[in-house]
């Protein structure tokens, strides 16, 4: 049998809240942008070339969309992908996301 490398876990304070998932932050930002523009899920999904169900799942943080899908949805909302990622980064930095969040590898 080979040696197993063990990495010591870093102690975490009990009061530290886990960070939200990137997909949840992206979803909230897309939903906010859509609602601010007073557009329906169906309208934005159609313009982005995705199903209404899929866009709903993205907005709720249930799906991990590709950069192509994010670009299409952002474009349907009149945003560039860089605009979306900047907004999400600001949201995460400000701590204005509800619920836990971490980046998935």
């Amino acid at each position: 049998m080979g040696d197993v490398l063990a990495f010591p876990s870093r102690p975490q304070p009990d009061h530290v809240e886990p960070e939200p998932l990137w997909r949840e932050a992206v979803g909230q930002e897309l939903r906010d942008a859509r609602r601010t523009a007073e557009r329906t899920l169906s309208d934005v999904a159609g313009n982005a070339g995705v199903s209404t169900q899929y866009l709903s799942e993205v907005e709720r943080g249930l799906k991990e969309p590709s950069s192509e899908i994010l670009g299409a949805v952002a474009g349907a909302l009149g945003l560039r992908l860089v605009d979306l990622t900047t907004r999400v980064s600001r949201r995460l930095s400000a701590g204005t996301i509800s619920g836990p969040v971490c980046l998935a590898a």
Side-chain angles (χ1 to χ4, degrees), residues 4-62:
V4 176
L5 293 176
F7 294 98
S9 61
R10 289 186 277 174
Q12 296 292 324
D14 292 334
H15 66 279
V16 174
E17 293 291 322
E19 291 187 8
L21 293 171
W22 177 259
R23 71 174 184 253
E24 292 171 344
V26 167
Q28 285 186 357
E29 192 59 49
L30 289 172
R31 178 172 280 172
D32 288 351
R34 180 179 58 77
R35 288 180 173 169
T36 297
E38 298 180 347
R39 296 190 49 203
T40 65
L41 266 171
S42 151
D43 174 43
V44 174
N47 285 323
V50 299
S51 73
T52 302
Q53 176 67 30
Y54 186 79
L55 180 55
S56 173
E57 290 173 351
V58 168
E59 285 189 356
R60 290 180 287 141
L62 301 176

Side-chain angles (χ1 to χ4, degrees), residues 57-72:
E57 290 173 351
V58 168
E59 285 189 356
R60 290 180 287 141
L62 301 176
K63 294 288 184 186
E64 189 82 51
S66 67
S67 59
E68 290 86 0
I69 296 293
L70 287 176

